[in-house]
Amino acid sequence: MSALAHEAPCDPGLDEVLWQAWKAMDLPEGYRAEIIEGSIEVSPTGRRRHTVLVHRLRRLLESRLTGSGLEVYQDGNVIHGRKVCIPDLFVGPEDLDEIPDEEGLGVDATRVPLVAEIVSPGKEAHRRDHVRKRRRYALAGIEVYVVIDDFEDEGTVTVFSSPDPEKGVYATKTTVAYGTPTAIPDGPAKGLELTADLTRP
């Protein structure tokens, strides 16, 4: 659901209005709000299958990051300028106080090397994760973006890498069907294989 709809690039005035409105929001439990491309988007937290996939991916990432000084976090505010995304998972330093945003409301996206989203059902959720959030994460220069989608074809895993922050695009995109292994090509989890064990029913 979108609280404010606006697809054109934001002007600084609108950015500030959205930022102040977002800070003032008091949502009921089970909902979260993000600022993406000129709108405040409110969405429910995930279903059981969503939780299962988040948990499996988190365990995989944690096994790769042991001893690296990095940790895996869930559902935190990742802030770039006056935009806020709440990825299902993100990688950051063991002490997130090392990378605060300027107002202490979340973490600075430019210091987050990897984010991941588990797509919820519906066209709007698909567009949010595959299009709008992809652009936002690329603009922030986040090295790797992983998208797991139960609802695209028979299920897909997509890994975006090599962001161009000037253009808001990733130079590399690899999409595989569930059951086909793919590896994370860059960043702190480089070489980590995402296999059928991750997406099994």
Side-chain angles (χ1 to χ4, degrees):
M1 165 175 107
S2 178
L4 297 170
H6 185 277
E7 285 297 312
C10 283
D11 62 67
L14 179 58
D15 278 354
E16 187 61 28
V17 168
L18 293 170
W19 179 252
Q20 295 302 327
W22 175 81
K23 289 198 301 181
M25 292 181 82
D26 184 17
L27 295 175
E29 188 173 339
Y31 288 87
R32 60 187 187 177
E34 304 170 280
I35 304 175
I36 308 170
E37 296 197 349
S39 68
I40 295 176
E41 298 192 16
V42 178
S43 58
T45 54
R47 300 177 180 186
R48 178 189 52 79
R49 171 68 174 167
H50 185 279
T51 303
V52 167
L53 290 170
V54 167
H55 180 68
R56 288 178 187 168
L57 181 56
R58 181 175 185 150
R59 284 193 310 177
L60 265 180
L61 288 167
E62 286 174 340
S63 70
R64 175 53 60 105
L65 297 174
T66 300
S68 69
L70 297 169
E71 293 283 348
V72 184
Y73 298 92
Q74 285 181 240
D75 296 327
N77 297 331
V78 175
I79 298 174
H80 183 241
R82 289 292 196 244
K83 306 294 188 296
V84 182
C85 289
I86 305 173
D88 291 316
L89 293 175
F90 71 92
V91 172
E94 289 177 351
D95 184 355
L96 286 180
D97 283 339
E98 295 175 14
I99 59 166
D101 75 294
E102 63 184 28
E103 295 191 42
L105 298 171
V107 297
D108 180 353
T110 63
R111 300 281 307 282
V112 170
L114 184 149
V115 292
E117 299 284 2
I118 312 301
V119 181
S120 296
K123 289 181 181 178
E124 183 59 28
H126 182 277
R127 179 168 164 72
R128 180 172 57 245
D129 289 341
H130 283 277
V131 179
R132 294 196 301 274
K133 281 192 165 185
R134 181 195 72 212
R135 193 159 38 234
R136 178 53 36 203
Y137 294 143
L139 285 166
I142 294 173
E143 273 184 278
V144 176
Y145 175 34
V146 177
V147 181
I148 300 175
D149 192 341
D150 263 353
F151 307 99
E152 186 172 56
D153 300 324
E154 298 298 314
T156 61
V157 177
T158 302
V159 180
F160 297 95
S161 59
S162 303
D164 182 339
E166 295 296 317
K167 296 180 180 177
V169 298
Y170 283 95
T172 304
K173 172 188 176 185
T174 302
T175 300
V176 298
Y178 279 9
T180 303
T182 190
I184 294 177
D186 296 309
K190 182 176 180 178
L192 176 65
E193 283 217 331
L194 307 178
T195 67
D197 282 343
L198 171 62
T199 55
R200 70 186 185 278

